[in-house]
Amino acid sequence: EQVCALSLSADGSHLISGSSGGSVWVWNLAAPWDQNSCRFLCAAAASNVESLQAQLENEGKKDVNLHYENGPTALHLACLDPHPDKSLSLVQMLHLAGAKMQAQTLGLQTPLHLAAARGHLPVVVYLLEKCRVQVNAIDHQGRTPLMLACLGGHLEVVQFMWNLKTVNTLLKDKKEQTLLMFASMGGLDSIVKKLIQRGDNINIIDESNESAIVKACAANKWATVRLLYNSGANMRVSDRDGKQPM
């Protein structure tokens, strides 16, 4: 479950802290933020559906697109909920209240990036089909939602996005990592097979001199390693540290 707390720092600014899925986070909300605004964001961060609904009904839509100092809005926080169904309820509520569905953090991550990284298929479907957000949005690392879904090993999300006519599966991130590399790190063998069958270069390397099989080894995805090896991956390639797959 997500846990959230609101406190006041020595300089008068508000601190919102919490934990979710094993991660701990703290955001400093520079003054002058009123406590009602902070409570609204905290309700989203804590996935408190009842509190969020009550605040929207009592205070209208003025707080919907408020954001933390480093960018996340209530909508971003709703996408981080560990439970897909609850996350969807929060996202739908904020959408109807006028939330900006394509909002970006300072890291240029959209709500779709976070939902895809979490593997929340219902939220991903809602954002793409109902809200018509950009499927190929790129964050500060040059990564798309599809890349993050592959990295997380979220097969259902990847399969859904793969079948969209507008999705670009040929992009690389800023480190020259391909979708084949992300799928290999996520252990998504069915996607790896598709990419190999369509002719993706199995031995292409990124800025760290790592190929898909090197990344699969580092991620302990041994079934994927065997698949890549049997498909002709070069076992002699070395990364920057001189390490080889075998």
Side-chain angles (χ1 to χ4, degrees):
E1 295 291 338
Q2 298 202 136
V3 180
C4 182
L6 175 66
S7 58
L8 199 64
S9 66
D11 64 1
S13 61
H14 289 96
L15 297 176
I16 288 184
S17 58
S19 61
S20 173
S23 300
V24 177
W25 42 264
V26 177
W27 281 292
N28 189 333
L29 308 184
W33 277 61
D34 63 89
Q35 291 218 0
N36 287 335
S37 298
C38 291
R39 288 194 183 96
F40 175 79
L41 290 168
C42 200
S47 304
N48 191 327
V49 178
E50 293 77 14
S51 176
L52 195 65
Q53 181 67 54
Q55 291 186 61
L56 286 172
E57 291 175 352
N58 295 334
E59 300 176 27
K61 300 178 181 179
K62 68 182 181 67
D63 290 323
V64 174
N65 292 306
L66 290 174
H67 58 85
Y68 292 122
E69 195 173 58
N70 59 346
T73 64
L75 181 60
H76 288 97
L77 298 172
C79 290
L80 290 174
D81 188 274
H83 304 291
D85 292 339
K86 182 182 285 187
S87 179
L88 178 60
S89 296
L90 292 164
V91 169
Q92 290 173 325
M93 187 186 306
L94 290 165
H95 179 214
L96 294 175
K100 295 178 181 178
M101 308 307 287
Q102 197 67 39
Q104 294 178 310
T105 66
L106 288 184
L108 303 183
Q109 289 196 320
T110 65
L112 182 60
H113 278 98
L114 301 183
R118 275 287 196 182
H120 290 348
L121 180 60
V123 179
V124 169
V125 173
Y126 184 83
L127 289 171
L128 288 169
E129 293 189 345
K130 183 70 174 180
C131 307
R132 302 293 183 184
V133 300
Q134 296 177 20
V135 67
N136 298 312
I138 294 173
D139 67 12
H140 73 293
Q141 293 180 300
R143 297 180 178 182
T144 65
L146 179 58
M147 291 176 183
L148 296 181
C150 282
L151 183 61
H154 304 304
L155 182 58
E156 289 186 337
V157 173
V158 173
Q159 289 174 328
F160 171 77
M161 299 180 76
W162 179 279
N163 290 324
L164 296 174
K165 293 181 179 179
T166 53
V167 73
N168 189 340
T169 61
L170 299 174
L171 295 174
K172 298 179 182 179
D173 73 357
K174 290 185 177 180
K175 293 183 178 180
E176 295 295 308
Q177 295 182 112
T178 65
L179 194 62
L180 177 59
M181 293 176 183
F182 284 108
S184 297
M185 287 186 279
L188 297 181
D189 291 355
S190 61
I191 303 302
V192 170
K193 287 179 182 177
K194 281 186 178 183
L195 292 167
I196 293 173
Q197 288 170 354
R198 80 170 184 185
D200 282 25
N201 186 346
I202 198 172
N203 291 313
I204 194 171
I205 58 174
D206 65 4
E207 287 187 352
S208 298
N209 207 51
E210 294 180 350
S211 64
I213 197 167
V214 172
K215 293 182 180 296
C217 285
N220 296 321
K221 304 297 183 181
W222 303 117
T224 307
V225 171
R226 286 192 294 271
L227 171 60
L228 291 166
Y229 174 74
N230 291 332
S231 300
N234 182 5
M235 301 297 289
R236 295 180 179 275
V237 64
S238 300
D239 63 15
R240 284 182 175 177
D241 298 323
K243 296 179 180 178
Q244 295 182 338
M246 295 294 186

